[in-house]
Amino acid sequence: METVSTAKSHGGVQGVYRHASAATGTDMTFSVFVPEHAAGERLPVLWYLSGLTCTHANVTDKGEFRAACAEHRVIFVAPDTSPRGDGVPDEDRWDFAQSAGFYVDATEAPWSANYRMWSYVTEELPALVASAFPVDMARQGITGHSMGGHGALTVGLTHPDRFRSVSAFAPIVAPTQVPWGRALDRYLGDDVAAKRRHDAVALIEDGARVRELLVDQGEADNFLVEQLRPELLARACADAGIALELRMQQGYDHSYLFVSTFMADHVAWHAARLG
Amino acid sequence: METVSTAKSHGGVQGVYRHASAATGTDMTFSVFVPEHAAGERLPVLWYLSGLTCTHANVTDKGEFRAACAEHRVIFVAPDTSPRGDGVPDEDRWDFAQSAGFYVDATEAPWSANYRMWSYVTEELPALVASAFPVDMARQGITGHSMGGHGALTVGLTHPDRFRSVSAFAPIVAPTQVPWGRALDRYLGDDVAAKRRHDAVALIEDGARVRELLVDQGEADNFLVEQLRPELLARACADAGIALELRMQQGYDHSYLFVSTFMADHVAWHAARLG
């Protein structure tokens, strides 16, 4: 693991790191904020998965999480959203391929060689973070924005043993039912079962359970009606007995000006559950 | 004035605006955050002048000012750092010309045609902001970072009647004594008196007064020793009876990871003085 940069911020250290990923076959870059802490102390960790068009940098620059993470003493990790580089298959669009890995392990060519973001964010990166940072891996929470909200929900629902707390900002909750989710058809082909494993609403319908979820959704979000459809998550959670706190936020759009507004709330919510 | 973008954030509205500037002869872009407020109510305004290489966007994205401005109900205005565009003289360097206007009205050719940032930030933009936003121009504060800290100090010291509160992050305090300040030689030529009017330490030596100043400075700032030299400001303030609170911040660098850490403090400090 190579350190790209570190700087003191809000009493802790904001770092950016790069490593050769076995999962994706590429170099991957991610950011970690470690609050001030005593020598030898291990802190809970909040994973943040980013949305379409993003790298680790968007939330690192604009997320306004550091003050809250410093206050609540939570480590914040932000992975990239896809493999990248000249050798990585790509297309000239913003909602598929590079910057749009959708947190799946692709099985269809040519994507299957590199687009293994599920393995990356659930296995390889956690192992690396556990080895290199003062995290208490018994106290993990996960959140994310838009495509990353989809990632947070599907990862959290698949590993309720591992994540004590799951939240999302304007998540894609049912990719198999919305246009952005056509990416799953291209990454996963005709494997309906695999696609249902990467769809939060389908996962819940198929029996996945967490105790509770926190979701903030802007009412002025341009993607609300066609792509995000939180009512589908609300119905699935109601049917499944999952306590969903879905907060429709009047006037807010899909941008980081929305995410940053409610970030401190989410950090505090996770911190309360991570002890 | 044209609205480039607006979005709700932290209960208020973060906007970006563009207008044809008479001062610079170019289009100029700036950002304004207006907290939630009652109809007809006018709020105090904090001006933020940015540093070398920056536009309005750096602090707007990374400054972490909105939560504090919403809490204290302060409008936050971030101008650009120079005129820009194909017709504007420029050089292939980052510390002079475009993105490096140094908040002076240039008198030397070819800079004098467009590089009139003093007039822009002290006259034209305040008039525009006063006409278009719910600001109480009797309650203004000013701050800035690096070159923008230089701007905040020189503007604040020149107009103590107008600005009730003046602070800075890692400011250039004595441009006539440091390498970055050679920009003043090129903008202002041999006019020693003019250059002293754009040097905070010289202004104080020449009699400019404010009651107090707040300055945060990272001790790990790469520019500290050669370019920033806060000890010169400390000495001038001590000699002049200006209450300077100079906070040397252990471990902090020159970046927005530093600025954002102390932004809420500065907003609160200004708010307390702006009533």
Side-chain angles (χ1 to χ4, degrees), chain B residues 184-223:
Chain B
L184 297 194
D185 297 329
R186 302 194 58 197
Y187 288 133
L188 301 173
D190 296 330
D191 187 342
V192 173
K195 285 186 275 192
R196 287 187 70 81
R197 287 195 299 271
H198 290 287
D199 179 304
V201 166
L203 273 168
I204 295 169
E205 289 172 352
D206 294 344
R209 292 293 179 269
V210 291
R211 199 168 65 80
E212 59 182 341
L213 294 170
L214 171 64
V215 172
D216 275 305
Q217 172 62 58
E219 286 193 329
D221 186 325
N222 285 335
F223 302 113

Side-chain angles (χ1 to χ4, degrees), chain A residues 187-222:
Chain A
Y187 288 134
L188 301 172
D190 296 329
D191 187 341
V192 172
K195 285 185 276 192
R196 288 186 69 82
R197 287 195 300 272
H198 291 286
D199 179 303
V201 165
L203 273 168
I204 294 169
E205 289 172 351
D206 294 345
R209 292 292 179 270
V210 292
R211 200 168 63 79
E212 59 182 342
L213 294 170
L214 171 64
V215 172
D216 275 306
Q217 171 63 58
E219 286 193 330
D221 185 325
N222 285 335

Side-chain angles (χ1 to χ4, degrees), chain A residues 231-251:
Chain A
E231 72 282 4
L232 298 177
L233 182 66
R235 190 159 58 210
C237 285
D239 291 347
I242 294 172
L244 167 66
E245 185 176 359
L246 172 60
R247 308 193 301 193
M248 298 302 295
Q249 302 288 3
Q250 188 269 323

